[in-house]
């Protein structure tokens, strides 16, 4: 009995002492696990530190209904001073055998995708990050209207070590 109490105490201390290195971490659920091409997911967050370096991540959860091995995204970062940075990004979502990448034991896989690495925000204030899917089928000009199989889109800011 005493060993169980000591064990539970150490587990509780471990959980309490774990300190997150996250400055911002938010997810938005997509209705019907489908991402419409005009649906820009938006995150607004404060930056109070213009000195420390950060890693920025786009977090995605996909299920077995996702039909592709890659993903194209268009991102937009709006700065407090009005500056805007737009990027087009491509990420691998499956390996060469078709097995989904990411973490998870069920049909849902979570992908932590690097967006920016070791960056410093130039000014403090409120920033806005927008992301939308930009998938197209090979040989087609029009984008995929409804991208099935993406359940959640998230954005995370981590302090570097």
């Amino acid at each position: 009995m005493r060993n169980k109490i000591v064990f539970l105490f150490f587990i509780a201390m471990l959980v309490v002492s774990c300190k997150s290195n996250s400055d911002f971490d938010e997810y938005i659920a997509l209705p019907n696990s489908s991402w419409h091409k005009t649906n820009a997911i938006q995150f607004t967050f404060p930056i109070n530190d213009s000195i420390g370096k950060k890693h920025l991540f786009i977090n995605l959860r996909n299920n077995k209904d996702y039909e592709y091995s890659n993903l194209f995204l268009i991102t937009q970062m709006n700065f407090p001073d009005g500056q805007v940075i737009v990027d087009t990004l491509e990420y691998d979502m499956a390996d060469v055998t078709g097995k989904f990448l990411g973490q998870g034991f069920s049909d849902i896989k979570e992908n932590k995708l690097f967006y920016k690495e070791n960056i410093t925000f130039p000014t403090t204030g409120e920033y806005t990050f927008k992301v939308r899917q930009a998938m197209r089928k090979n040989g087609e000009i029009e984008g995929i209207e409804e991208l099935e199989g993406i359940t959640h889109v998230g954005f995370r800011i981590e302090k570097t070590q």
Side-chain angles (χ1 to χ4, degrees):
M1 178 70 170
R2 185 175 176 343
N3 288 341
K4 286 183 183 179
I5 293 172
V6 170
F7 178 73
L8 289 174
F9 175 75
F10 281 117
I11 294 295
M13 291 303 292
L14 181 65
V15 170
V16 171
S17 67
C18 288
K19 194 172 158 185
S20 173
N21 65 341
S22 169
D23 279 352
F24 181 84
D25 193 7
E26 185 177 308
Y27 280 88
I28 295 177
L30 296 178
N32 304 316
S33 300
S34 179
W35 196 355
H36 193 275
K37 70 178 184 180
T38 61
N39 181 10
I41 308 299
Q42 179 174 307
F43 303 92
T44 302
F45 54 94
I47 293 296
N48 301 317
D49 174 12
S50 63
I51 298 171
K53 291 191 180 285
K54 314 278 187 211
H55 295 313
L56 310 182
F57 297 92
I58 299 168
N59 295 326
L60 294 171
R61 293 181 184 138
N62 67 286
N63 64 26
K64 62 182 178 10
D65 295 332
Y66 191 74
E67 300 178 351
Y68 307 96
S69 63
N70 67 342
L71 176 67
F72 283 94
L73 301 174
I74 297 176
T75 63
Q76 178 179 319
M77 180 74 75
N78 294 14
F79 292 67
D81 63 2
Q83 179 185 2
V84 177
I85 295 176
V86 177
D87 290 305
T88 302
L89 309 166
E90 180 184 12
Y91 296 102
D92 290 328
M93 297 295 285
D95 65 17
V96 294
T97 66
K99 181 182 175 212
F100 283 128
L101 303 173
Q103 303 291 319
F105 297 107
S106 67
D107 285 340
I108 296 181
K109 298 296 181 193
E110 183 160 352
N111 296 276
K112 185 176 179 181
L113 310 170
F114 260 112
Y115 168 55
K116 301 276 185 190
E117 204 171 353
N118 290 316
I119 66 132
T120 304
F121 287 95
T123 59
T124 60
E126 193 168 89
Y127 287 74
T128 302
F129 176 75
K130 297 178 185 177
V131 59
R132 63 184 174 87
Q133 63 95 351
M135 292 293 289
R136 286 165 174 57
K137 291 189 178 183
N138 285 340
E140 293 185 17
I141 295 172
E142 291 299 315
I144 294 172
E145 193 83 15
E146 289 286 341
L147 184 60
E148 302 291 330
I150 303 292
T151 63
H152 294 80
V153 177
F155 184 66
R156 181 175 174 94
I157 302 172
E158 290 183 1
K159 301 171 196 157
T160 61
Q161 298 300 322

